[in-house]
Amino acid sequence: MVAGSNTSKGTAVAEGQRERPLIVTEDLDLLDDLLRLCAAAGAEPEVHHSVPEQRGRWESAPLILVGDDAADRCRGAARRRGVLLVGRAQDDPSIWQLAVEVGADGVVRLPDAEGWLVDRIADVAEGVGEQALTVGVIGGRGGAGASTLACALAVTAARSGRRTMLIDGDPLGGGIDVLLGGEQTAGRRWPDFASSKGRVAGSALEESLPELHRLRVLSWDRGDSVVIPPEAMRSVLAAARRRGGVVVVDLPRRVDEGAAEALAQLDLGLLVVPGELRALAAANRVASAVQTVLGDLRVVARGPYGPGLDDGWVAASLGLPLVGELPWEDGLPAARGETVPPGEGGGPLASFCDAFWDRALTGGAAS
């Protein structure tokens, strides 16, 4: 249980300038628990028995965890935000008085509040900045080119110097790392995250994934298909977004529970629709399912078009905004066994993606 907490995420400071959280306690059992929770959150704390003697250390720490045994020793310390009083006594009313005396924002009672406290420590460890712009790509029908576009968007974002993560959300797609020529590259894949629950540390996620063409990729392995529970999809995508920059998600056309979790975290969805009547019929069904979760869905049309059709007609028939026409490049290098992925070698597809990011990342409309 977390009682009376009004802490602010604003106590975290910019990446590269973050101070370590402080633990103040002489209770060895409590210290063991707090060190375990810090490790789970990816944080390395400083441990003190009372207010640190080093000048300014108490004031600059992004988070201070004061054990209830140490409250008396912390009386008189400078009042500040980001102090939590931690204890195990569930029914001790005196803990509230101790919290007031040390100027704590709230009282954390273990073990009930362990999950909440890990999240709070992780916010400090990672920093809380602007979340990544998260774009999902969905095919209106099979073979529409959604995976190619997702790959090209990620490659062009990374090429421009943005922190980029590409996430393959389609377990039946064969693995998007193949398009990047990295199916043999060491790193974790989706099956390693299938049991993830609660918070996943964003920095640990990023560092564990294969790095290909300046971006991080979460794909599938070559083994049997693994079902990713909604909780795992939610945790992994939330961790990816906290790292900032750009996250591109290649999504299946079927909206199951895992896909719905991914859609719920998107800022924008791109529906790739070939200019054919049958493709439009299929895309309409996909769009109807996607829009039950995602509010901002837009069309990327792809030629060649059937008689009398063009990109504007495709978007209008679906009742969705048009982003533009996807240029098609014959003979993708990755498909020929080369290591140049879609969007890397320049050309119309790379130009399309660059223009998209220029509009989307500067606050302009992406359509």
Side-chain angles (χ1 to χ4, degrees):
M1 173 180 171
V2 180
S5 173
N6 60 357
T7 56
S8 168
K9 291 184 177 182
T11 57
V13 296
E15 185 173 1
Q17 299 178 328
R18 290 193 298 275
E19 298 282 352
R20 297 161 64 189
L22 295 183
I23 296 175
V24 182
T25 184
E26 287 185 327
D27 183 331
L28 295 181
D29 290 335
L30 179 59
L31 177 59
D32 284 345
D33 285 339
L34 292 177
L35 290 175
R36 172 175 54 83
L37 298 179
C38 285
E44 297 182 6
E46 289 184 19
V47 179
H48 297 266
H49 298 312
S50 62
V51 176
E53 295 181 1
Q54 181 181 355
R55 181 179 178 85
R57 187 67 193 94
W58 175 274
E59 291 80 4
S60 65
L63 180 68
I64 301 175
L65 307 177
V66 177
D68 54 4
D69 67 293
D72 287 342
R73 298 190 295 277
C74 293
R75 287 192 180 101
R79 296 279 169 156
R80 48 151 294 168
R81 300 294 301 273
V83 177
L84 296 174
L85 187 65
V86 185
R88 293 193 188 86
Q90 298 295 317
D91 301 313
D92 183 2
S94 66
I95 198 169
W96 294 100
Q97 182 61 35
L98 291 175
V100 171
E101 290 173 359
V102 301
D105 291 330
V107 173
V108 180
R109 287 171 168 158
L110 301 180
D112 292 354
E114 284 192 356
W116 182 90
L117 188 54
V118 168
D119 283 353
R120 185 72 184 86
I121 298 168
D123 282 343
V124 169
E126 295 184 53
V128 180
E130 185 176 356
Q131 290 204 332
L133 176 65
T134 307
V135 177
V137 186
I138 310 148
R141 66 154 169 78
S147 295
T148 298
L149 177 58
C151 184
L153 285 170
V155 166
T156 53
R159 189 185 63 214
S160 66
R162 301 180 181 102
R163 169 179 267 151
T164 305
M165 192 175 296
L166 175 61
I167 295 178
D168 187 350
D170 186 359
L172 302 180
I176 205 165
D177 53 356
V178 174
L179 282 176
L180 292 161
E183 60 270 26
Q184 302 299 323
T185 303
R188 301 180 74 182
R189 264 72 175 180
W190 262 121
D192 298 312
F193 297 97
S195 61
S196 297
K197 294 181 180 179
R199 185 181 182 115
V200 173
S203 57
L205 170 68
E206 184 177 41
E207 292 167 7
S208 72
L209 298 179
E211 183 174 7
L212 302 166
H213 304 279
R214 301 176 295 277
L215 60 97
R216 297 286 179 165
V217 183
L218 177 54
S219 188
W220 302 87
D221 62 11
R222 311 280 84 82
D224 294 336
S225 177
V226 175
V227 175
I228 300 300
E231 296 83 1
M233 181 67 77
R234 182 187 314 126
S235 297
V236 168
L237 267 177
R241 296 186 71 208
R242 286 196 302 273
R243 296 298 289 163
V246 165
V247 175
V248 180
V249 188
D250 183 27
L251 288 165
R253 299 189 309 280
R254 181 174 178 270
V255 181
D256 57 13
E257 290 184 334
E261 286 293 344
L263 288 167
Q265 298 200 47
L266 297 183
D267 296 303
L268 170 66
L270 302 179
L271 183 65
V272 183
V273 185
E276 309 161 357
L277 290 177
R278 289 186 63 189
L280 283 168
N284 187 63
R285 291 191 292 270
V286 174
S288 295
V290 167
Q291 287 181 293
T292 63
V293 183
L294 176 63
D296 192 351
L297 181 65
R298 308 183 190 187
V299 169
V300 176
R302 201 206 85 193
Y305 300 99
L309 307 184
D310 60 17
D311 55 354
W313 192 94
V314 168
S317 67
L318 293 169
L320 296 171
L322 176 67
V323 171
E325 181 177 356
L326 180 65
W328 196 247
E329 296 179 358
D330 294 331
L332 291 172
R336 300 197 301 266
E338 300 175 20
T339 58
V340 180
E344 178 67 27
L349 180 57
S351 297
F352 174 90
C353 294
D354 285 335
F356 171 83
W357 290 126
D358 286 345
R359 295 191 299 268
L361 292 166
T362 56
S367 58

